[in-house]
Amino acid sequence: MIPTLLLVLLTTACSPFTLVNSETYNDADLADYKTFHIVTPAEGQLPPGMQMVTYYNIAAAIREQMIMRGYTEEPNSPLLVNIGLTVHREIETEPALPPGYMPYAGPYYRGFYPYFMYPRAMYWQNYYANARVITGIYKEGVLTMDMVNIVDKIPLFSASVATILENGNTQFRDLSGIAEAVQTLFSKYPVPLLPQYRQVKK
């Protein structure tokens, strides 16, 4: 049996982006949700180094993916799409938090864990204790997306993609690059594209 990480690397070999993880929580049926809203800077703050133009590009790419799956954007939707970014380089495999920190007390951004716009500690409880940094993958520029039932504070889905920074520097990718990264982020999302958006394979 091919290890999961190896399988992910093989299936994304033609892309400059790597799907780091993609997981559904609490047996969530994301097709039950018909609306969504994307976190805004008013609900938290941008990760260090992220400019508003980058936020808008990421939000636009996420919005497109959600609409192509039949969702409608509504500001009061219980389905919150939260955005996180790893902003410092740390390559070693380490616990998500160092000794002395409460688990998931974030946003935590010293390279081990993404800095989330809406603090993940508001919904991410200690019993989600399976998060460890993957050697060589959780590096600067990893974009993480959480789907949360924000009314009940229940995590539903999380995925991460490396990396939305240009190779060899600290500049964020342009709109088309971010759109491709977010497409990779949604590549294992459990709700499929509507038929009209699916590519016909020849």
Side-chain angles (χ1 to χ4, degrees):
M1 184 173 180
I2 300 175
T4 303
L5 180 58
L6 178 58
L7 183 59
V8 168
L9 293 173
L10 288 173
T11 56
T12 58
C14 296
S15 170
F17 306 100
T18 301
L19 185 67
V20 177
N21 71 289
S22 185
E23 187 167 357
T24 302
Y25 295 99
N26 295 302
D27 297 318
D29 186 351
L30 287 153
D32 285 345
Y33 293 84
K34 306 304 179 187
T35 63
F36 73 99
H37 82 275
I38 300 169
V39 65
T40 66
E43 295 172 283
Q45 62 183 41
L46 295 179
M50 182 186 287
Q51 303 298 318
M52 283 299 297
V53 65
T54 304
Y55 162 76
Y56 285 129
N57 288 345
I58 292 170
I62 290 173
R63 182 177 298 111
E64 180 181 43
Q65 290 292 322
M66 294 296 284
I67 290 171
M68 290 194 301
R69 287 167 169 79
Y71 295 91
T72 301
E73 187 172 18
E74 291 184 3
N76 296 319
S77 173
L79 180 58
L80 170 69
V81 183
N82 195 15
I83 297 170
L85 180 69
T86 303
V87 295
H88 290 290
R89 295 182 190 277
E90 288 291 346
I91 307 302
E92 299 299 322
T93 301
E94 297 285 353
L97 294 176
Y101 281 79
M102 289 297 292
Y104 305 106
Y108 182 65
Y109 59 96
R110 296 180 185 171
F112 300 102
Y113 208 60
Y115 184 107
F116 281 88
M117 290 182 61
Y118 182 87
R120 207 180 204 188
M122 300 295 289
Y123 58 85
W124 197 261
Q125 303 302 318
N126 293 356
Y127 49 77
Y128 299 104
N130 61 342
R132 291 184 66 86
V133 181
I134 301 172
T135 301
I137 297 293
Y138 256 97
K139 56 189 175 181
E140 192 171 23
V142 172
L143 175 66
T144 300
M145 174 185 70
D146 281 352
M147 303 268 187
V148 187
N149 181 325
I150 201 62
V151 175
D152 298 323
K153 310 293 186 185
I154 299 174
L156 306 173
F157 178 81
S158 185
S160 300
V161 62
T163 167
I164 65 166
L165 296 180
E166 294 285 357
N167 291 336
N169 62 51
T170 58
Q171 296 298 311
F172 286 95
R173 294 181 186 269
D174 61 15
L175 179 59
S176 63
I178 286 175
E180 187 178 349
V182 170
Q183 184 177 358
T184 301
L185 195 66
F186 275 85
S187 60
K188 294 186 179 297
Y189 188 70
V191 178
L193 295 170
L194 295 174
Q196 63 266 36
Y197 298 113
R198 297 174 195 165
Q199 291 182 351
V200 179
K201 293 183 178 180
K202 296 182 179 181

